[in-house]
Amino acid sequence: MSDHFAIKMQPIRDYNNRPKAENPLKIQDLTLRDGHQSLFATRGRTEDMIPVAEMMDDIGFWGVEVWGGATFDTMHRFLNEDPWDRLRTLKRYFKKTPLSMLLRGQNIVGYRNYADDVAKAFVEKAAENGMDVFRTFDALNDFRNFETVMAAIKDCKRHFQGCICYSLTEPRMGGEVYNLEYYLNKAKDLENMGADSICIKDMAGLMAPYDAFELISALKAATSIPIHLHSHFTSGMAPMTHLKAVEAGVDIIDTCMTSYAYRTSHPAVEPMVMSLIGTSRDTGFDIHKLAKINDVLEKEVLPKYKHLLDDSKVSIIDINVLLHQTPGGMLSNLVNQLREMDALDRIDEVYKELPKVRKDLGQIPLVTPTSQIVGIQTVNNVLFDTEDEKYKMITGQVKDLCYGLYGKTAVPINPELQKKALKGYERGETPITCRPGEVLSPELPKARKDLEGLTDDMEDIILYTLYPVTGKKFLMYKYGKETPPDSMRPKTLDDVKKEQELIVKAKAGKLIEKKTEPVHEMGKNARTFKVLVDGDYFEVKVEEPGAPQSAAAAQPMPAPARPVAPVRAAMAAPAAPIVRPVTPAPAPSKPSAPKPAEKIAVAESVDGTPLLAPMPGMIVSYAKNIGDPVEKGQPVVILEAMKMENALPAPVSGVVRAINFKSGDSAPKNAVLCVIG
Ligand code: CO
């Protein structure tokens, strides 16, 4: 069957005057979404995309992925940017190339299944603002979770691309679950549903080159819609996998511009363009134009983000992915999680337990959010199970999964575990078998009511529904009710230059030791930088140009917690929190949470037992007010860490004596959240 796609070659004498290929490979660029999401925590700003947008529009990409995935979250949470604005802005620059987004099916761009009204409104607004291609996936490959969004995408006359998450239970494609037949059946399901194209989403870079050849050849023979391959570089196999997929006739592949490529991102576009020149699959792209784009990214954009790159490793591939067939990000989360619990020595037990937990949970693919669900439960089992009791501490998400709230698993869940997990479960002890969206009631009316007086704009309402706490905070900034913190301001090339100068100075030993009294009161425009000098962190204040330069006071501070920490069912503190997926916070209009006027320095002034934050996170709400009685084990505080809500229980029975934070505040690890006495 591959004969049809055999690569034919002809000599090329004039690079600029190549004959059009018989079957040119189409390429989608991911630089502006998956590229910066994979390499620097999705912190890319719109202003840094504009300088290359028109040049990229001129290349001839099949599409440019610029939105969705984690962008919606990080933009409003960390960058003080309206995600809808980015879409409108980029649409003005990309006049020829279709814009593409990553949609998490019924999870939209969040981490749980949302109600149908939210899913439909989101798609309509995205289409209205210029989105062309909706790449849609579901963590369980349960395509019932596509139904609502697909209907909306089709109504808007946009491209519906259905994804199949590529997963393995063995070193190669095959075995009882993720074999060729599985993928072919899923592909046929998508074609029958009415998908415009099919994407094989290899999020962990697990696909081996010859498996790609077999899979793509079979898909091309069995279906008649375009086949698109998305393979991350993480394990190092992706460039070879791409080439074999091209030989098997893949229609479209995903790449990034070189400076945003490799490591946990994707293969670069330029080597593929050169590899195919003069063949029947020549992309027709101009390598000189690509080089110019890279030049701008290298010189004008990347210096601002360099500090976000994980440079802790020299090696650009993650060998553990090859050893364990598990996503790289998931493995590093497990390591961080164990480290923070002082249990890193148990990593081998975790590696051993992981496939068992995954099997018990129905051999689900490992991708956001299922990778976290399996990862956390595995750590719980290793740390807390005893000889006579397995699954001693079951997370809230595992309960939801057992109930059917994420959809249907690849194979049935272990019935014993399911029964145990659903004992006393709030929605009922009998699991559902219907599409999860059917049991969720509409969410927009309540959100609209919550925002009354602030905004009635549907885009704002959707943002708030997806992210109740941080979304509300962002809307307060947007409408001038609150001032965004300094840390949300963009970094400029000038800032980068100043930091460099400071580092040089610090290395030369020319930084002044911290004085007890500041020599000079810093203006309100002064900015604080953290600089790393020979392994020590320094906090440095810098004022805007023109202001009197003074006291570059350097003071060693503890190394900051890693920005991306794993989700934990953290058990370090007095009692373990119950980990829940994020659900809407209580309506701000009905303040069930108390409003402590000031932060109280409790530890010294109030007697009692403190409830400590077991992990750094953001306060969602308090379930109790000052003066309320509380029983040991009752949830007192909801703390969000890594997008999961953790219900922290009271360490003792008593009365709430002090509350130290309010909704939306961040709390460092071991912060005293409240005192019970
Ligand atoms: Co990806």
Side-chain angles (χ1 to χ4, degrees), residues 33-34 201 203 230 232 266:
R33 205 285 299 176
D34 212 348
K201 181 176 159 65
M203 54 277 170
H230 176 90
H232 279 260
H266 294 264

